[in-house]
Amino acid sequence: MEKKEQYHWADETANRVIKEKGNKPSYTVAAGITPSGTVHIGNFREIITVDLVVRALKHKEKKVRFIYSWDDYDRFRKVPGNVPKEFEKHLGMPVSEVPDPWKCHKSYAEHFEKELEQSLHPTGIKPEFIRQNEMYKSCKYSKGLKTMLKNKDEIIMILNKHKNEHLLVDWYPVIIYCSKCKKDFTKILHYDGEYEIEYECECGHKEKIDFRKNGNIKGTWRSEWPMRWAYEKVDFEPGGKDHSTAGGSYDTGKEIVKIYNWTAPTYQLYDFVSIKGKGGKISSSKGDVVTIKDCLEIYEPEVLRFLFAGTRPNTEFSISFDADVIKIYADFDKLERIYFGEEEISKEKLAKQKRIYELSMIDLPKKMPFQPSFRHLSMLVQVHKGNIEKVLEYYQKDDRTKKRAELAWNWIQKYAPEEFRFELQEKVNIPLKEQEKKALRILSKKLRERNYDEETLFEEFYSICQESNIKNTDFFTAAYKVLINKEKGPRLASFILAIGKDKVIKVLETIK
Ligand SMILES: [Zn+2]
Ligand SMILES: [Zn+2]
């Protein structure tokens, strides 16, 4: 019996969108977040989940509009640890009105928005950004808000089904920012059933506004999310675990959206991303979160995409900064060889693996690119003390090698575990036993006499040990001590070749 081909989850999700939303020439997909602090790699999962579905829909020759909502008309509700405490005075204002604590952008919100937009650029993800503060302030949602307010009893009923503490009839699904103090410490006094609403603020200001002309009014989250689905005609949007629980905002949104004459988008839950092995080296000025930029300091954008493309969104996984980085690069390179037919894989797995590769790449190469090993580069950059030009003399000078060498150097400096780090010695500084000296002298002689590859050099070690009557382990330890003043190090044969035999001979010649 023939085994069934495996499909990629993004293609499955695209099929689900088409099935649920009907076969149309174009679709709108969405993601979004409140820029209340640094946007971290966990939030990136939402963005890339959508991006992969965008790719899958385009693969089916659909047009796709990918919108990313900056929910920057949300209230500033908490001062994060990395922001001065005096910012408490801005609590209750829209985050788009709070000043930038670092004074480099127009507002608090814009600081975090620009940070994310810039770091998204190298990943090839290009959503259309929608700033909710602009949408609200220019009264784009006035019709939706009217529908929301007119149907407030229906909304209360839906929300109360899932609440222990029931909303009362005088509750409104909107908040109003006071036009005098800009804060939302306001109380609605009267709604006329059309476009006029009257409020009073704690600061004493009292006003009647027409929300076709005055954008100080904003829908509450559970009421505005479905309003925006209807406004933008959203077909697909994923949500994190917090939105996905029974009675969560997607659940209630699915019911509330009916008042706006729309249906809820096809949904996809995405799980958490944890971090492995960052060792407290992430800057605390960002509130101790790991950003896309942090990841792109050690991962090529394609390798970062591969981590997400290769994992189903509803499973938790971790991004590693420790020794796993080497394995992840090796896995990615293997995937690339599979894609280009340079490595065998079972027929039923092939289609899916090829899709993971296609979805990981920003520009799909026509032929197999050169693959410098990350492990090897992490040695070479240390041999050359971070001089990338020197590293490229060893390898070919293509963009990938240069980039990967830079990333390997970042990794060594910031995150690599101790056993991967070394400093090449200029001369022998340690006392050696006679047998050790003998073995290392033979090594020096052999290196001078012929050229080795990794395998033949590795075999040579064993004949050297026999000839000098030394245990293999003692030989390796002596070699590491002489070369890097450590008991252990990278695989010796490839290490010696990475250093370059001339340099090694020079060190070994200083044995007294
Ligand atoms: Zn700034
Ligand atoms: Zn006020």
Side-chain angles (χ1 to χ4, degrees):
M1 199 179 80
E2 209 171 285
K3 280 192 194 148
K4 226 181 137 206
E5 266 187 14
Q6 299 171 339
Y7 288 98
H8 192 271
W9 64 260
D11 295 319
E12 286 170 5
T13 309
N15 285 338
R16 194 152 58 85
V17 173
I18 293 169
K19 198 172 157 229
E20 289 178 15
K21 295 292 161 184
N23 197 351
K24 308 189 284 184
S26 72
Y27 294 85
T28 297
V29 298
I33 197 175
T34 307
S36 55
T38 302
V39 181
H40 55 79
I41 193 70
N43 307 129
F44 177 66
R45 192 166 199 182
E46 171 165 307
I47 306 174
I48 190 154
T49 298
V50 179
D51 181 69
L52 295 168
V53 174
V54 169
R55 293 264 201 117
L57 283 166
K58 284 185 176 168
H59 193 67
K60 294 175 191 298
E61 271 146 34
K62 301 297 183 188
K63 281 205 182 84
V64 191
R65 178 175 179 237
F66 177 4
I67 54 176
Y68 190 77
S69 171
W70 283 121
D71 295 354
D72 53 10
Y73 211 42
D74 287 4
R75 73 193 298 267
F76 184 47
R77 57 176 78 235
K78 199 175 128 220
V79 183
N82 55 330
V83 172
K85 206 165 174 288
E86 66 188 61
F87 269 63
E88 276 179 0
K89 68 176 182 238
H90 302 297
L91 292 176
M93 280 166 53
V95 284
S96 59
E97 297 294 326
V98 176
D100 180 356
W102 301 278
K103 299 188 172 72
C104 38
H105 296 90
K106 271 187 260 161
S107 72
Y108 182 91
E110 202 192 89
H111 180 89
F112 299 116
E113 290 169 3
K114 292 292 174 205
E115 197 174 74
L116 185 273
E117 288 175 20
Q118 275 157 19
S119 58
L120 211 51
H121 192 73
T123 66
I125 302 176
K126 293 180 198 128
E128 173 188 335
F129 292 101
I130 296 178
R131 290 183 162 71
Q132 292 303 337
N133 89 85
E134 290 168 7
M135 295 296 287
Y136 273 110
K137 281 197 263 184
S138 57
C139 305
K140 291 278 195 301
Y141 298 135
S142 56
K143 276 202 183 111
L145 289 165
K146 183 182 156 191
T147 307
M148 192 187 286
L149 283 161
K150 280 180 88 92
N151 291 278
K152 93 174 174 102
D153 293 345
E154 174 78 18
I155 294 176
I156 289 175
M157 202 190 75
I158 293 166
L159 295 182
N160 278 348
K161 276 198 278 185
H162 308 282
K163 268 183 177 296
N164 293 329
E165 228 171 286
H166 281 190
L167 299 167
L168 301 174
V169 283
D170 63 348
W171 179 83
Y172 282 92
V174 297
I175 57 160
I176 296 180
Y177 290 114
C178 167
S179 53
K180 204 159 182 203
C181 71
K182 292 182 179 172
K183 296 183 179 174
D184 68 345
F185 304 130
T186 54
K187 188 174 181 297
I188 293 166
L189 301 175
H190 179 70
Y191 170 55
D192 77 343
E194 286 295 315
Y195 291 97
E196 270 191 2
I197 199 159
E198 193 181 8
Y199 72 92
E200 188 174 21
C201 178
E202 271 183 9
C203 75
H205 185 69
K206 195 170 154 183
E207 190 182 15
K208 193 190 275 179
I209 58 166
D210 180 331
F211 55 83
R212 283 170 301 188
K213 295 173 210 141
N214 182 316
N216 284 11
I217 178 172
K218 178 194 170 293
T220 51
W221 166 247
R222 282 178 183 248
S223 319
E224 72 164 346
W225 198 21
M227 177 188 79
R228 285 165 13 193
W229 289 340
Y231 184 88
E232 304 290 356
K233 301 194 168 26
V234 176
D235 295 301
F236 171 75
E237 182 162 356
K241 271 191 155 172
D242 46 340
H243 292 148
S244 313
T245 49
S249 53
Y250 179 74
D251 239 16
T252 55
K254 213 157 58 178
E255 290 186 64
I256 293 172
V257 75
K258 289 175 192 156
I259 67 170
Y260 306 107
N261 291 318
W262 190 249
T263 52
T266 297
Y267 193 66
Q268 173 67 58
L269 173 144
Y270 62 89
D271 208 327
F272 296 116
V273 178
S274 56
I275 302 298
K276 187 164 165 274
K278 79 182 170 75
K281 299 221 179 93
I282 304 283
S283 149
S284 64
S285 73
K286 289 176 306 194
D288 201 33
V289 296
V290 174
T291 62
I292 303 169
K293 202 173 156 215
D294 293 324
C295 295
L296 292 176
E297 273 180 9
I298 58 166
Y299 287 111
E300 289 167 10
E302 290 83 358
V303 179
L304 185 65
R305 290 183 61 98
F306 158 66
L307 290 174
F308 289 89
T311 315
R312 284 191 164 267
N314 56 359
T315 45
E316 200 176 330
F317 80 105
S318 55
I319 294 187
S320 298
F321 284 74
D322 59 11
D324 289 355
V325 174
I326 287 180
K327 187 183 177 296
I328 289 162
Y329 270 95
D331 288 347
F332 175 81
D333 288 349
K334 183 180 175 190
L335 177 72
E336 188 166 72
R337 292 193 298 275
I338 287 169
Y339 181 85
F340 286 101
E342 308 249 332
E343 198 160 320
E344 290 284 312
I345 187 174
S346 71
K347 208 177 148 225
E348 59 270 20
K349 281 186 184 157
L350 182 65
K352 185 176 164 190
Q353 293 301 307
K354 281 186 124 173
R355 279 301 276 155
I356 294 176
Y357 182 73
E358 283 168 5
L359 292 165
S360 303
M361 298 312 283
I362 295 160
D363 297 305
L364 200 59
K366 289 203 174 57
K367 62 179 180 58
M368 185 156 115
F370 177 62
Q371 297 188 328
S373 132
F374 189 85
R375 176 190 289 276
H376 196 225
L377 281 171
S378 74
M379 291 189 277
L380 276 184
V381 289
Q382 292 183 83
V383 169
H384 298 292
K385 297 188 168 65
N387 186 332
I388 305 297
E389 285 306 312
K390 284 253 187 254
V391 173
L392 293 181
E393 279 172 22
Y394 182 95
Y395 272 123
Q396 61 192 69
K397 292 182 191 185
D398 62 11
D399 290 345
R400 175 189 270 184
T401 308
K402 182 164 184 280
K403 176 85 185 165
R404 214 174 253 200
E406 286 163 1
L407 298 171
W409 182 234
N410 290 342
W411 181 67
I412 287 294
Q413 288 179 297
K414 286 195 168 179
Y415 307 107
E418 192 48 40
E419 67 262 33
F420 291 91
R421 297 152 74 152
F422 61 82
E423 206 172 317
L424 192 61
Q425 304 295 298
E426 305 275 329
K427 58 181 182 4
V428 179
N429 297 313
I430 47 140
L432 291 165
K433 292 190 192 125
E434 276 313 312
Q435 276 170 318
E436 292 169 340
K437 286 184 188 174
K438 187 177 174 195
L440 292 170
R441 282 190 186 117
I442 299 172
L443 173 62
S444 175
K445 181 169 158 274
K446 298 259 182 194
L447 286 173
R448 239 175 286 144
E449 282 169 5
R450 59 176 278 205
N451 289 320
Y452 292 93
D453 60 20
E454 198 175 327
E455 203 182 328
T456 51
L457 181 57
F458 186 69
E459 282 161 11
E460 193 72 89
F461 293 155
Y462 289 92
S463 59
I464 293 173
C465 290
Q466 274 187 334
E467 202 180 327
S468 47
N469 197 20
I470 183 174
K471 275 202 286 186
N472 297 340
T473 49
D474 292 344
F475 169 74
F476 283 108
T477 310
Y480 289 124
K481 283 210 276 196
V482 162
L483 291 171
I484 55 178
N485 201 16
K486 286 170 81 171
E487 304 253 316
K488 281 179 184 159
R491 290 178 196 158
L492 190 59
S494 75
F495 186 45
I496 287 175
L497 296 173
I499 298 169
K501 67 177 194 167
D502 294 343
K503 266 195 183 147
V504 175
I505 292 165
K506 232 170 141 186
V507 180
L508 295 177
E509 272 174 349
T510 67
I511 296 173
K512 283 180 199 116

